[in-house]
Amino acid sequence: FLASATRRRPMRPPDGGAGGEPPETDMSMRLSRSIVGEAEAEAVHRVICEDGYLGIGREVQQFEADVAAYLGVPASWVISVNTGTAALHLAVEAVLGHGSGAEVLVPSLTFVASFQAIGGAGAVPVACDARLDTATIDLADAERRLTPRTKAIMPVHYASNPVDLDGVYAFAEKHGLRVIEDAAHAFGCLYKGRKIGSFGDVACFSFDGIKNITCGEGGCLVAFEAEAAHLASDARLLSVENDAQKRFAGARSWDPDVKRQGWRYHMSNIMAAIGRVQLSRLEAEFIPARRALAARYAEKLASVPGVALLHTDPQDFIVPHIMPVRILHGRKDEVKDALAARNLPTGVHYKPNHLLSCFNTGQSLPVTEQLYAELVTLPMHPGLTTEDVDAICEGVAQALAR
């Protein structure tokens, strides 16, 4: 939404206004939302009216260079694409090959994109249980699911929390696995003082409309191996050899060769223009706002009986994309209903993939299922105020005090 459209509007009672009209929702009180304005609009205007080429070109190249500079890696390692799901798909293919049939260990508590990307690459997602304190992958459970076909592990930085990456990489080295980080929530986050995406094997980010930065839609992968980066760069443009680099130079491949499966996953100049502005706002504006809101939630909810917060260590390394909390003692739906009655939105991140028909193998993951029964996502975006957070926390506390 443009900045001119974000004026606060008074909340109406839950039963609506006069004449039985539905309640009008205060825009700031959405569960998540894009924070875009005139600078992003001007960037899009520049691409449309001055450049005139809307596909993949120099603006995309510059966005990749900007992301690389932010992360402190070579620009050739950053491969921009049209969604975070595409980034995961290309990452799996780049490190395992297309149609490998290899097994990939992945936590069940993740957006279905993680599983679809693995399956789309012709690999097999193996659902693993989660840790109760962090909702991230339980390496002990993952170890029990190893087979001779296991070739990779995909840790998911759930709620922007890159938990125990040292342990993940040690696990991978011990068992000869590749690591594909699903860092869709974690752009701007740190692990032991280092930015996610500045080290590792392969890291994948999402830049959809409500992430820590947005391109409207979009994503990227960061590959720390030249061959994987080259394969992914070609594969996003139907595996036409070196086509991305030619388009960055304003040329095309009129006599192309194609040696492997590819996809039409490239980012557009319009998306990149939005992303470049968003990246310039991240450190000064978005990160402080998200961290301050998370700290306010923690302060207000830490002593509320019946609420458990997920553990992050240290908290000031996290740039929270979402704000999930555990509602204990079977009262999740009660709290959601009470907040809805106050016109306060909530969500659920996520239904575990092993409970979805496509990926249901009949297995039981008890901790993941407990988390699914408890997790409620509260509003989180830089358009919120501390007063908004206080109202949400008051609603949670009063619902649980009944």
Side-chain angles (χ1 to χ4, degrees):
F1 299 96
L2 295 181
S4 59
T6 61
R7 297 189 186 94
R8 299 288 302 278
R9 294 178 292 184
M11 299 286 284
R12 294 186 183 180
D15 58 353
E21 296 177 355
E24 182 178 359
T25 301
D26 184 340
M27 187 177 293
S28 75
M29 292 299 288
R30 291 174 182 247
L31 184 65
S32 302
R33 60 176 267 250
S34 305
I35 306 296
V36 293
E38 292 299 331
E40 288 85 356
E42 289 170 5
V44 171
H45 180 274
R46 171 176 51 79
V47 169
I48 294 174
C49 297
E50 296 178 21
D51 186 350
Y53 183 69
L54 309 186
I56 178 173
R58 291 189 180 92
E59 196 76 21
V60 173
Q61 183 182 34
Q62 188 57 58
F63 176 64
E64 292 181 355
D66 291 350
V67 170
Y70 177 75
L71 296 176
V73 301
S76 61
W77 293 5
V78 178
I79 311 301
S80 63
V81 288
N82 56 2
T83 67
T85 308
L88 289 168
H89 183 181
L90 293 186
V92 175
E93 290 201 348
V95 301
L96 298 181
H98 175 72
S100 67
E103 293 178 351
V104 180
L105 302 170
V106 57
S108 182
L109 188 67
T110 180
F111 188 44
V112 68
S114 308
F115 276 62
Q116 293 281 31
I118 294 168
V124 180
V126 176
C128 299
D129 214 346
R131 291 171 45 174
L132 190 62
D133 61 338
T134 61
T136 57
I137 193 166
D138 180 341
L139 291 177
D141 183 77
E143 190 160 29
R144 290 189 288 269
R145 302 182 190 281
L146 288 166
T147 76
R149 298 182 298 280
T150 308
K151 301 301 180 184
I153 182 170
M154 182 183 286
V156 176
H157 302 333
Y158 181 84
S160 311
N161 196 7
V163 175
D164 190 23
L165 277 181
D166 287 346
V168 169
Y169 277 93
F171 177 94
E173 183 176 5
K174 176 182 177 182
H175 299 291
L177 308 180
R178 301 299 298 270
V179 179
I180 302 164
E181 297 177 41
D182 183 341
H185 292 188
F187 193 75
C189 295
L190 305 176
Y191 179 74
K192 294 189 174 180
R194 296 185 295 170
K195 289 175 181 170
I196 297 299
S198 69
F199 64 94
D201 194 348
V202 184
C204 299
F205 296 109
S206 171
F207 304 134
D208 75 19
I210 59 173
K211 291 301 194 301
N212 289 350
I213 67 168
T214 183
C215 294
E217 282 289 352
C220 78
L221 62 94
V222 185
F224 297 84
E225 180 186 86
E227 181 63 16
H230 178 74
L231 289 172
S233 181
D234 280 357
R236 64 177 159 176
L237 277 165
L238 303 169
S239 285
V240 176
E241 289 192 335
N242 299 312
D243 197 28
Q245 297 308 313
K246 290 181 180 178
R247 294 192 188 215
F248 288 163
R252 291 289 296 272
S253 301
W254 298 118
D255 184 22
D257 195 12
V258 176
K259 297 178 180 177
R260 58 184 60 87
Q261 176 66 49
W263 313 92
R264 196 162 178 83
Y265 280 169
H266 63 275
M267 180 177 281
S268 74
N269 281 344
I270 288 178
M271 296 159 71
I274 296 170
R276 292 183 66 197
V277 174
Q278 287 273 296
L279 183 57
S280 74
R281 300 174 66 183
L282 178 64
E283 288 287 336
E285 184 179 349
F286 298 154
I287 288 179
R290 288 183 178 274
R291 285 179 176 163
L293 293 168
R296 187 73 170 190
Y297 272 120
E299 175 190 350
K300 293 293 183 178
L301 293 176
S303 60
V304 175
V307 176
L309 302 177
L310 296 177
H311 175 72
T312 59
D313 185 25
Q315 193 173 56
D316 61 359
F317 280 5
I318 304 304
V319 185
H321 158 56
I322 56 175
M323 187 67 203
V325 300
R326 293 170 55 207
I327 304 298
L328 309 179
H329 314 307
R331 303 188 69 185
K332 168 182 169 177
D333 290 339
E334 183 181 343
V335 168
K336 287 176 59 65
D337 290 345
L339 292 179
R342 292 173 176 239
N343 216 19
L344 301 172
T346 62
V348 177
H349 291 81
Y350 300 98
K351 184 172 182 178
N353 284 268
H354 75 283
L355 301 180
L356 303 177
S357 297
C358 185
F359 304 109
N360 190 334
T361 61
Q363 70 191 105
S364 175
L365 299 176
V367 176
T368 298
E369 290 160 24
Q370 179 182 342
L371 285 167
Y372 179 49
E374 295 176 344
L375 286 170
V376 172
T377 303
L378 304 177
M380 169 58 74
H381 56 79
L384 290 171
T385 66
T386 54
E387 292 79 11
D388 294 330
V389 172
D390 290 350
I392 295 160
C393 294
E394 179 185 359
V396 172
Q398 290 186 359
L400 291 171
R402 292 174 182 169

